[in-house]
Amino acid sequence: MTFEAFLFYFFSVVLVGSAVAVITVRNPVHSALFLVLAFVATAAHWIMLEAEFLGILLVLVYVGAVMVLFLFVVMMLDINMSRIRQGFMKLLPVGLVVAVGMMAVMAMVVGAKVFQVEPPAPAGADYSNTEALGQLLYTEYVYPFEIAAVILLVAIIAAIVLTLRRRPDSRYMDPARQIRIRREDRVRMVKMESEKK
Amino acid sequence: MQQAMIQFWEGLPLIVQINLKIMAILTPLMLAVAYTTFAERKIIGYIQVRVGPNRVGPRGWLQPIADALKLLTKEVVIPTNANRYLFLIAPVLSIAPALAAWAVVPFDNGMVLADINAGLLFLLALTSMGVYGIIIAGWASNSRYALLGSMRSAAQIISYEIAMGFALVGVIMAAGSLNVGEIVMAQQGSVYHWFLLPLFPLFLVYFISGVAETNRAPFDVAEGESEIVAGFHVEYSGMAFAVFFLAEYANMILISALTALLFLGGWLSPFEGILPDSVFAIPVLGWLLNSGIHWFLMKTAFFLFCFLWFRATFPRYRYDHIMRLGWKVLIPVTIVWLFVAGAAVAIGIGPWFA
């Protein structure tokens, strides 16, 4: 077994194991952390495919930002797991049927027959996946790329506007106004003689 | 002799070579971390007209070693109902990214452990992973002070990461590369060619965000003693606490080194292109004045000193002021300057954007 094959199987075991753990562990925080581990293992797979840009971006965006916020929410929530687990046995047969069906469909679409792909020839030392991706994104796919960017911008603004609410009852101090305060507004220096007894 | 040594080195298996290189980076780094804590106490001491630690060893020079021995021999207390595994893995998660990031830091021309193309992205990804140690530590300690501290610190780190990333985009635009070594080489020429000049606002944003990222004063609300005791590591003792401490200082050194590399030309000498070549030919003086690792270390040390200087100078920011500074001041500044840099690239303003 070559070193690459060893790495592939190692990260595959980590990926599958952590993905299973995400849905089986009892504690929701552990579950979120296993999802992080699954992302990291996926990133390792991508880097082994010489797609280092995607791999690093997965860690940067999903592990570094999205999952942190996720973890935030999960830690703050008080989830009653026993209520969620109620009726598990009753729904199990239906769930099994759906799972087997999904597995069958996926096996047909991405089965071993379709996926008999030779590993790509390793690119030269001067090949940069990041640069190749940038060239494609900003030349050939520039319009789809820009449209996606605009859609994302609209989504950001919409999310901010939807959650923005003025609360007149909150005692909020405007930091900008506080910073502009000068000494003369607050303090009056008085010069006076010390009093005689 | 030299020939024999090179032959011996090349005879070693690759994995041994890599491990030796990692040791060569981490051993001085750990020493630097230990002596940064000493420097901090001494420098802040002198700023406050005190002497600082001066009892252990000559003039206090053995103080960090005494501290390390003390922390090593103390008991690691695990609080009741704390989540044992997460509680113990949190310090590791906070120090590992801080050390792994050094893999792509070039100390001199070609003197780098992993010369990868997406080096800057790698750095961004690793620094963004450091927040997990803090969040997990706060949650696993089963203490509300720790949880509050970790929430504050995590919110602060995510907010400032955006400004930091934008500042780096400006550097990438000017250098035309994501490879840290190539970014430094793009600043070659003279002091005038360093990115400090054309990207000055981004430099300020980057360093301020760096101070905020490492949770250092004046942005250290995460461990605001008067409000939430010590923040996320309040339940930690002994070596577990020491690892958090090491991570904080390793991060400080990393941010200083990156500022030096990205904006001040890393190992490039400030006298390059100013002094005639004949000066660089003088035996010892020429080596000192020429580009080399010593310039990189000096620039890093200067920014490290700034960290300590800030701590002794500025009062702590209030939490909402920190958020305001990050979102409403630093991010708009970077966006405006990215437009300026973009225009400069389009026009080709020399020597930086040509």
Side-chain angles (χ1 to χ4, degrees), chain A residues 7-50:
Chain A
L7 281 181
F8 173 78
Y9 286 113
F10 174 75
F11 284 119
S12 302
V13 168
V14 171
L15 175 57
V16 175
S18 55
V20 170
V22 169
I23 52 169
T24 50
V25 292
R26 286 174 179 275
N27 192 323
V29 173
H30 291 182
S31 193
L33 289 173
F34 273 118
L35 190 56
V36 173
L37 189 59
F39 280 139
V40 173
T42 317
H45 273 289
W46 275 349
I47 288 172
M48 278 164 57
L49 284 171
E50 299 188 3

Side-chain angles (χ1 to χ4, degrees), chain A residues 27 29-30 33 36 52-53 56-57 59-60 63-64 67-69 71-72 75-76 127-128 130 175-176 178-179, chain B residues 83 86 117-118 121-122 124-125 128-129 131-132 135-136 139 147 151 154-155 158 161 178 318 320-321 324:
Chain A
N27 192 323
V29 173
H30 291 182
L33 289 173
V36 173
E52 80 271 359
F53 184 76
I56 294 176
L57 222 60
V59 173
L60 181 61
V63 176
M67 284 313 293
V68 174
L69 296 176
L71 211 56
F72 244 68
M75 280 177 183
M76 292 277 118
Y127 170 78
S128 165
T130 316
Q178 279 185 301
I179 287 171
Chain B
N83 198 310
L86 288 184
N117 280 325
L121 272 178
F122 176 82
L124 265 178
S128 71
M129 276 176 76
V131 64
Y132 277 98
I135 295 189
I136 292 173
W139 184 79
L147 188 63
M151 288 289 155
I158 312 177
E161 215 155 72
L178 281 168
R318 212 175 67 195
D320 57 332
H321 283 200
R324 175 178 168 274

Side-chain angles (χ1 to χ4, degrees), chain A residues 152-165, chain B residues 327:
Chain A
L152 276 176
L153 183 67
V154 170
I156 293 172
I157 295 172
I160 293 172
V161 170
L162 283 177
T163 52
L164 188 73
R165 53 193 176 128
Chain B
W327 288 98

